[in-house]
Amino acid sequence: MKYQAYSQISFKKTPYYLNMSETLRNEFDVLTKVLPFKINNYVAEHLINWENLPDDPIYQLIFPRKDMISAFDFKTLSGMIKDGASALEMDMVSNMVQQKIWPAVALDEDRIPKCNGDIIPGLYHTFPTNLYLFPAPAVKTCHAVCNYCFRWIHHTRGKFLPETSYSDPATPIAFLRDNPHIKDIFMTGADPLVMTTSQVKKFTDPLINVESLDVIRFITKSLTYWPFRFTTDKDADELLDYFRYLKTQGKHVAIMAHITHVNELQTDVVKEAIRRIQETGAVIRCQAPIVKNINDSAQDWTELWDTQVQLGMFPYHMFVEADTDPNGCFQIPLAKTVAVFQEARKKATSIARAVRGPTFMNNNMRVEILSIEEINNEKFFVLKCLQALDDKHEGKIRLYPFDPEITQIENLRSVFE
Ligand code: SF4
């Protein structure tokens, strides 16, 4: 299959759009004035059941949702489209609406490494052993765009790129040499596997000689959004050979596959892609957030984990959806998240029970919600700190007062002090 991406403009010429109901077409027209949209021919042809709109989970994952903007803004934009507002007027109002829903991304400036007082762009040092890398060609886009993703600011705002990515592949090396406790590199972006294989090599090669590095992780959704990246793309074989090469250099290669719903794992080509990656010795670990209307039932997760295990992959983390969306239309209450996780794990194959979750991170602390317990007639979330900036928090367990409605626990540092 030859890759064909559709933007909000080109998608409107496809039969998929033309066969959508008038209501859904109108929603699409209004919402894509404000929100990013990108889909490709594989996702459209093989992952979405167009007879099942709007409930289809992959449709829910990719298409902007009406409740992402206020009812007032939706009505205003809809009216302007009907009245034939000029492009200039439309842009003005769209920008205003976009500002209102700007994702609240909590970047901790202290986690951006510095050299002689200047930040080193494109590096993010979360926990002592982990360093995230943002190579410039990887931050611009993905093979399709998830509607809940806060990284759309990278995709849509060019001025954000220079500060948060790097173009010289040698950029992280001095910092890594000065910090030999860093063992895990997270190649990320948007999606590092939108890069060509020669770009992947260019940005990864300098890391090979850093002996303290044990693990190179690629955080990607390419496996299910464009599995041909690992099968028939012209540089697919070269990419797989490169994974083999990294192994010979003593590095563990981990494909951190972002897989949201079991429907992403049904096609022959995705199974072939998984098999080909596994043949290289790379290990595929699977993770995703739990998101309203996509994967918010126990059955969704049991099926997802069981299928991952059948295909030889490792269920790794169920994440609590981040609270970057000001209207909260993707988050579900933590109480329900815990119930879904526990129920799903009970029904899944025993091997899948090594999965961690529900986990979330803020203030540079990663926490797992172990359970909800009642003590002296009072209910609590039981939290375990999985990773933290300093040793004294890691492994600690704390109680947090139960609230059936909360979707996040803010300020974990104060909880664990
Ligand atoms: S694939 Fe990942 S980075 Fe890309 S839009 Fe989806 S969540 Fe965001």
Side-chain angles (χ1 to χ4, degrees):
M1 189 176 224
K2 192 165 176 283
Y3 183 74
Q4 166 83 57
Y6 299 113
S7 66
Q8 59 270 46
I9 296 167
S10 54
F11 180 72
K12 289 174 75 166
K13 298 190 184 118
T14 67
Y16 307 111
Y17 174 83
L18 298 172
N19 289 325
M20 278 158 60
S21 69
E22 197 182 334
T23 308
L24 292 182
R25 285 204 309 265
N26 179 43
E27 280 180 16
F28 181 85
D29 294 351
V30 171
L31 295 168
T32 55
K33 294 278 179 226
V34 177
L35 294 154
F37 173 80
K38 180 181 177 184
I39 194 169
N40 68 56
N41 48 339
Y42 169 76
V43 174
E45 221 172 296
H46 296 286
L47 299 193
I48 294 179
N49 175 1
W50 296 95
E51 303 297 315
N52 184 30
L53 300 194
D55 297 335
D56 179 85
I58 309 303
Y59 178 86
Q60 285 286 328
L61 171 62
I62 290 179
F63 284 71
R65 298 182 185 184
K66 199 172 171 188
D67 52 358
M68 290 174 78
I69 64 175
S70 72
F72 175 81
D73 288 334
F74 186 90
K75 202 169 158 201
T76 306
L77 288 162
S78 185
M80 288 177 75
I81 293 173
K82 276 197 196 107
D83 297 345
S86 71
L88 192 68
E89 287 169 319
M90 209 71 226
D91 275 358
M92 228 170 64
V93 177
S94 301
N95 284 340
M96 272 163 42
V97 177
Q98 204 175 60
Q99 288 307 320
K100 288 191 211 169
I101 55 165
W102 196 254
V105 184
L107 269 186
D108 181 349
E109 301 246 328
D110 291 343
R111 300 291 96 219
I112 302 175
K114 296 190 181 55
C115 176
N116 299 327
D118 295 327
I119 63 159
I120 311 175
L123 274 60
Y124 201 69
H125 189 202
T126 50
F127 305 118
T129 55
N130 298 356
L131 182 67
Y132 285 73
L133 298 183
F134 296 82
V139 298
K140 292 181 181 148
T141 191
C142 298
H143 285 111
V145 169
C146 313
N147 52 11
Y148 58 71
C149 182
F150 64 83
R151 293 187 190 207
W152 62 274
I153 50 182
H154 289 285
H155 302 164
T156 56
R157 294 288 153 135
K159 72 181 168 56
F160 202 66
L161 298 177
E163 299 148 27
T164 53
S165 62
Y166 66 99
S167 299
D168 176 357
T171 301
I173 302 305
F175 181 73
L176 284 168
R177 294 226 183 273
D178 288 345
N179 292 274
H181 50 273
I182 296 174
K183 294 182 172 176
D184 289 50
I185 280 295
F186 294 64
M187 291 298 260
T188 183
D191 188 329
L193 296 181
V194 296
M195 292 196 286
T196 62
T197 302
S198 60
Q199 287 171 323
V200 172
K201 287 177 171 177
K202 183 171 135 188
F203 283 95
T204 311
D205 273 346
L207 306 171
I208 293 172
N209 294 327
V210 180
E211 285 183 3
S212 48
L213 280 186
D214 293 333
V215 178
I216 298 178
R217 308 191 195 196
F218 293 93
I219 305 177
T220 182
K221 201 161 173 56
S222 295
L223 180 60
T224 60
Y225 271 175
W226 187 247
F228 302 94
R229 182 71 190 89
F230 310 94
T231 59
T232 53
D233 274 6
K234 66 179 187 307
D235 59 354
D237 287 348
E238 191 188 348
L239 180 67
L240 298 177
D241 283 343
Y242 189 59
F243 292 162
R244 286 187 187 93
Y245 169 71
L246 290 174
K247 293 279 297 175
T248 67
Q249 299 305 299
K251 306 300 180 198
H252 174 91
V253 179
I255 305 299
M256 309 306 293
H258 175 184
I259 304 174
T260 320
H261 194 274
V262 72
N263 288 5
E264 294 168 68
L265 294 173
Q266 305 303 323
T267 63
D268 289 343
V269 65
V270 78
K271 292 175 187 166
E272 174 69 357
I274 292 164
R275 192 187 59 72
R276 296 188 97 224
I277 292 169
Q278 287 164 339
E279 274 177 5
T280 69
V283 173
I284 307 173
R285 292 187 167 78
C286 308
Q287 53 190 20
I290 179 167
V291 187
K292 198 196 284 178
N293 294 348
I294 298 176
N295 58 11
D296 53 2
S297 75
Q299 187 182 343
D300 287 330
W301 286 89
T302 304
E303 287 176 359
L304 182 63
W305 292 332
D306 281 353
T307 307
Q308 289 166 354
V309 169
Q310 277 162 12
L311 294 170
M313 302 186 288
F314 294 87
Y316 191 55
H317 274 276
M318 174 208 268
F319 296 127
V320 173
E321 170 57 6
D323 63 347
T324 50
D325 158 44
N327 293 322
C329 60
F330 301 106
Q331 290 188 304
I332 61 174
L334 291 180
K336 179 174 175 187
T337 300
V338 173
V340 167
F341 180 85
Q342 292 186 339
E343 189 61 21
R345 197 162 66 165
K346 263 187 236 160
K347 293 191 172 143
T349 159
S350 300
I351 285 184
R353 293 180 195 195
V355 69
R356 276 255 146 98
T359 54
F360 62 102
M361 189 170 106
N362 64 37
N363 315 111
N364 298 102
M365 190 178 287
R366 183 173 294 290
V367 164
E368 180 176 16
I369 310 175
L370 293 178
S371 63
I372 296 166
E373 300 294 339
E374 194 166 325
I375 303 169
N376 296 334
N377 297 324
E378 232 189 299
K379 274 173 125 180
F380 297 93
F381 291 107
V382 182
L383 309 178
K384 179 176 183 184
C385 175
L386 298 179
Q387 272 180 306
L389 285 179
D390 53 53
D391 289 346
K392 71 176 181 178
H393 294 121
E394 195 158 319
K396 296 279 185 256
I397 291 180
R398 293 286 182 271
L399 300 177
Y400 188 85
F402 179 77
D403 176 331
E405 299 303 329
I406 54 167
T407 54
Q408 279 286 327
I409 295 172
E410 304 296 344
N411 204 352
L412 285 173
R413 269 190 202 147
S414 68
V415 176
F416 277 84
E417 278 310 333

